[in-house]
Amino acid sequence: MSTLTRQTLTHLDWLEAEAIHIMREVAGQCSNPVLLFSGGKDSICMLRIAEKAFRPGKFPFPLMHIDTGHNYKEVVEFRDKRAAELGERLIVRSVEDSMKRGTVVLKHENESRNKHQSVTLLEAIEEFGFDACIGGARRDEEKARAKERIMSFRDEFGQWDPKNQRPELWNLYNARSHKGENIRAFPISNWTEMDVWQYIEREKLELPSIYFAHQRSVVIRQGAIVPVNVPLMSGELTNLPKAGEEIVELQVRFRTVGDISCTAPVESDADTVEKIVIETATTTITERGATRLDDQTSEASMEQRKKEGYF
């Protein structure tokens, strides 16, 4: 008489299985996809999902990062190290190159380059003929991202229309597009910040050091903690303090990472993933609400950037 063993799946098992299914759907339906990888925590989870979806074979797509030139040195170094460990092709395209071509023009020297990534991304999509970009955006991050489908259609100009999206009934995904059009696929759309940290803890994923508590020179600007005198890959310093600002040393960590000009840390003593999970469970402010200065310009700032081609 046989004994049946019943296996209970955790919520992380369900989320992982959904993400693997979506990533395989992209690989199956699209002819030339690319996985966006910045070295941030969400894209690190995406790499693990890709490993589980396609190993022991190679990924059926390259990795790509749109570098503003003002990304944190620790994250850029981690990006290169992780891609090399996986043995996967990493494409890097820079906003600075778009500036040299004249397709990106800053209003002033210190303007944030974050929103200008849209231009460089669209140029890279055209250069390589990508018909799908797989990204690590989550619906819990921000109001505009909550409107996204799993397979988000972009027209021939790279633009997103939140009022013209394809239905996804019964988890059926439509990634078909005409030449020049593009799909943005978001396999971890249904994950939360807590899910990401619990998954990182479960999978024992390595992270850039700035996600953990460390001492950093900062100023308090309009209620936000702003890092100052931050070294770039070139060795020069950016985010210089303004006249009259007092520089203080605080113990901080980053909940999300992006362009230095618009990514603020939070005060924290969480120096392990386990402590970060506990801290995340008790916070009352969303990660972007607490740390993304560019999203605080207006309630519609993210939606406007997405309509122009942003991630």
Side-chain angles (χ1 to χ4, degrees), residues 52-158:
K52 294 195 176 189
F54 305 112
R55 287 298 192 236
K58 297 280 288 183
F59 294 173
F61 37 67
L63 313 179
M64 183 169 72
H65 181 217
I66 303 302
D67 190 346
T68 65
H70 282 181
N71 290 100
Y72 285 94
K73 184 173 181 285
E74 299 93 329
V75 181
V76 174
E77 291 174 343
F78 179 88
R79 175 202 72 190
D80 295 342
K81 171 177 172 288
R82 190 72 188 102
E85 288 172 347
L86 288 169
E88 299 292 343
R89 178 189 178 200
L90 173 65
I91 299 167
V92 178
R93 288 296 179 266
S94 173
V95 172
E96 292 185 337
D97 289 337
S98 297
M99 291 165 60
K100 292 175 183 176
R101 287 191 292 270
T103 52
V104 166
V105 179
L106 302 184
K107 294 178 180 177
H108 53 82
E109 183 181 357
N110 296 320
E111 182 190 4
S112 171
R113 302 176 182 184
N114 194 53
K115 69 177 183 178
H116 297 295
Q117 291 177 91
S118 305
V119 174
T120 309
L121 174 63
L122 294 177
E123 289 174 342
I125 289 172
E126 183 177 4
E127 176 186 355
F128 292 98
F130 294 129
D131 60 349
C133 295
I134 309 169
R138 309 187 320 269
R139 287 177 177 143
D140 78 317
E141 289 182 272
E142 201 273 340
K143 293 178 181 178
R145 286 184 166 168
K147 299 178 181 180
E148 287 277 21
R149 296 288 194 265
I150 299 290
M151 301 287 188
S152 179
F153 173 75
R154 308 297 171 103
D155 65 21
E156 63 271 25
F157 301 105

Side-chain angles (χ1 to χ4, degrees), residues 186-290:
F186 303 114
I188 62 171
S189 288
N190 293 326
W191 295 36
T192 65
E193 182 186 12
M194 174 63 89
D195 295 328
V196 167
W197 282 112
Q198 288 181 323
Y199 191 71
I200 289 169
E201 181 180 31
R202 188 185 83 172
E203 299 293 311
K204 297 180 173 56
L205 300 180
E206 187 181 356
L207 294 163
S209 59
I210 66 174
Y211 277 113
F212 301 101
H214 59 283
Q215 291 292 125
R216 187 173 285 270
S217 299
V218 303
V219 298
I220 308 302
R221 186 178 297 161
Q222 297 178 339
I225 300 172
V226 179
V228 292
N229 297 327
V230 184
L232 299 172
M233 290 294 290
S234 63
E236 65 178 306
L237 300 180
T238 188
N239 259 32
L240 303 180
K242 298 179 180 180
E245 290 185 325
E246 179 186 2
I247 301 176
V248 296
E249 294 291 321
L250 287 183
Q251 182 168 263
V252 299
R253 73 174 182 89
F254 287 81
R255 290 175 66 183
T256 182
V257 295
D259 188 88
I260 294 169
S261 65
C262 61
T263 306
V266 295
E267 283 196 78
S268 174
D269 60 1
D271 55 3
T272 66
V273 173
E274 292 79 8
K275 290 180 181 179
I276 292 175
V277 169
I278 295 171
E279 190 173 89
T280 303
T282 58
T283 188
T284 58
I285 304 176
T286 66
E287 62 185 292
R288 295 192 74 91

